[in-house]
Every structure is written in C-alpha cells, then in structure tokens.
Amino acid sequence: MTIRERLELREKEYLSEYASFSMDSKGRLRDEPQCDIRPVFQRDRDRILHSKSFRRLKDKTQVFLTPEGDHYRTRLTHTLEVSQNARTIAKALRLNEDLVEAIALGHDLGHTPFGHAGERALDKVCPFGFSHSEQSVRTVDILEKEGLGLNLTFEVRDGIKNHQSDGHPSTMEGKVVRISDKIAYIHHDMDDALRAGILTEKDVPKDIGEIIGFSTGERLDTFIHDLVTESTDKNDIMMSPVIADAMKRFRQFMFDRVYTNPVAKGEEKKAEVLIETLYDYYMRHIDLIPRDLKALMDKGEKREIVVCDYLASMTDRFAIAKYEEIYIPQCWDKL
C-alpha cells in the first residue's frame, strides 16, 4: 500500500460524512498516473502554489491601488488570508483541508491588475465579457504551463469557478471558501481602511458593533465561531440569522465608506482607462503578445479573448510599464 493510499484511508476514518474524499474525486480533464505520496487535492494545491500566476498575485491590487506602505494587502496576501480562514473552518468541521486550501489558493489566479477596476475595464471592452472567476478557471485549465494547464481535479475547478457570492459550489469545501473569501476581504479591507485613516472604529454603527464586535479581531472571531457552530453536523455552510444580517449590514457599510470612497478609489478611473487603452493597442498589434498566447488563436481562440488573457495576467507594475513604453515619450539620449 502506498503512502497516498494510507492517507486516503485516513480521510475515510476521520473526516465528516459531508467531506470530499480524495479517493472519490471525479477526476481530471486528462487522465494521468496517481502520485504515490500525495492525494489528488494535495497535489492540486502544490501545482497552484508553484504556478506563475500564483506568484504574480504579490503585485496585484486588492483594494488600495499602489498604496504607499508595506502593510496594505495585495491580491496574494488576500489569498493567503482566505486560505487560512477556510482551513480553520474546515478543520473544525472535519472537512478536507487540502481541497479547501487548493480552492482558496487558486480562486483569484485570473484576477486582473488594479483589482476590480481592471475587471470592470475588460468586461466593458471585451464583447464576450470578462469575469475573474471564469478567468481563474481558464488560467488553470489552459494558460498555465504554456497552454498545457495544470490539469486540476473537478472539485478544485468547481470551487474556483463558484467562489463568488452568486456561485453554487458542489462541495462543502467550495462553500467554505466562498464564505471565507467574504470574511477575509471584510476583515482586511477594514483593517487597511483604518491604517489609511479613511475610517476609525467609532465610525462602525453601534448596532452592528454590538453584535459582531468593535475591532477587526473581534469581528473575525465572531464570524468564524458562528460559522463553525451553525454548520457542525450539517450538510451546508451557514451563519446564524443574527450574525449573517449583521455581516451583510457591515459589508454595506464598507461599500458606502470604503469601496466607493473617493480617497481610496480616486485613481481607479485612471487604471480603467489604462487597461482599456492597452486592450485597444494589443487588438491592433496582436503580434506583440507572447508566443504561447498567439498559439491559442491557431487553435481557433478569438483574438479578443487572447488579448484579455494577456492583460489579465499582468501585474499592476507590468501594466503600467507597458503603458509607459507604448504611450509615454522617452527622453532622447545621443549615443
């Protein structure tokens, strides 16, 4: 018996009846030999962790565009916080930690530079629309490894695709990641807003604070404890009505005071114009995109989709550098 097989049997012995078991996975897009050490979801987690798209998350905006300071979240630190929240919940509910971690680490791999401003720009200019959750699946299926993709399991791909609020994950682990994503951004976006001086804790409505807490730590603790308590021994992931309502109202408070704040979001229109301009440029100069992306068009992929692939893969700094290279006059230096 291999190490992997022993680990799979241990899952059957320990995990909840509602968990996803590695040996029962629906499989991959392409069949391949099993690893003799790692179960399939652990193997998927490792593939995501070692991918180029994962490394690029460190230079992509979360909420605050190119902030001055070392402690504001990036798309990478957001991803890690989602993963930690999800693992904490999964462990308490005896769900599959490898699966939740793989989904969490992969859920934003297709996100654009400049956060949701970049996503809005591509959705506006691309005739086929653009969604970062769909792009994340496309990234792991096709774009990674120069067109080969990561060949992940159905369960991981399903969780990545359905991680947004309107998604319907087919596994409990996917449901954990979906709610963990909300908890993470509510928690750390408030923390970043406090650091930026946009909000103080006194700004939080008292009726909300009395339910979920008056600090970032208290709120995170409240959300996770309530989730675990309400979801134990149930085939669903849920919050109590009181906490769910308070969380919804706190999220609306964040939209009103942070996500639409002119101080925090004042540069986003520039980012949208930058992405729209680069889209137009590469539509007219498709020969300048990377060779592995151009090869997709030889297989029948539409030019608009491939240009979106290129722009969505860019980090903030790379997109700005490309814009400057193309449109900003350079100083002439006599040789």
Side-chain angles (χ1 to χ4, degrees), residues 55-93:
R55 294 194 292 275
R56 289 195 297 266
L57 295 177
K58 71 180 186 299
D59 286 321
K60 292 193 177 190
T61 292
Q62 173 57 27
V63 169
F64 293 92
L65 189 67
T66 59
E68 293 185 1
D70 294 332
H71 301 122
Y72 292 96
R73 268 68 170 196
T74 65
R75 189 62 56 178
L76 177 61
T77 53
H78 161 73
T79 293
L80 295 176
E81 291 186 39
V82 173
S83 176
Q84 184 57 49
N85 291 343
R87 286 190 60 192
T88 297
I89 296 166
K91 180 175 285 188
L93 297 177

Side-chain angles (χ1 to χ4, degrees), residues 279-294:
Y279 177 89
D280 178 69
Y281 178 83
Y282 285 110
M283 282 295 292
R284 291 182 287 108
H285 298 87
I286 196 70
D287 55 304
L288 296 180
I289 70 171
R291 182 177 55 192
D292 58 307
L293 292 179
K294 284 190 290 187

Side-chain angles (χ1 to χ4, degrees), residues 183 186-187 190-191 194 201 204 209 212-224 250:
I183 291 172
I186 288 174
H187 169 258
M190 179 64 179
D191 190 43
L194 293 172
E201 284 291 354
V204 177
I212 61 177
F214 289 99
S215 71
T216 53
E218 287 179 1
R219 287 187 288 270
L220 182 62
D221 188 68
T222 297
F223 292 147
I224 291 180
F250 186 74

Side-chain angles (χ1 to χ4, degrees), residues 99-118:
L99 178 54
V100 296
E101 189 171 21
I103 296 171
L105 294 182
H107 82 281
D108 271 353
L109 291 181
H111 220 298
T112 57
F114 312 119
H116 291 289

Side-chain angles (χ1 to χ4, degrees), residues 125-186:
V125 296
C126 180
F128 304 104
F130 182 89
S131 164
H132 81 269
S133 56
E134 296 283 352
Q135 188 68 17
S136 294
V137 177
R138 180 170 170 82
T139 298
V140 299
D141 282 355
I142 299 172
L143 303 181
E144 273 292 335
K145 299 181 70 175
E146 299 185 346
L148 296 176
L150 301 181
N151 198 29
L152 303 182
T153 57
F154 165 84
E155 292 80 5
V156 173
R157 295 168 60 251
D158 170 81
I160 291 172
K161 180 179 179 180
N162 291 287
H163 77 269
Q164 293 182 272
S165 298
D166 58 352
H168 299 282
S170 64
T171 66
M172 287 281 281
E173 289 80 4
K175 293 178 182 180
V176 167
V177 174
R178 183 180 57 181
I179 190 65
S180 296
D181 186 32
K182 284 185 184 179
I183 291 172
Y185 72 68
I186 288 174

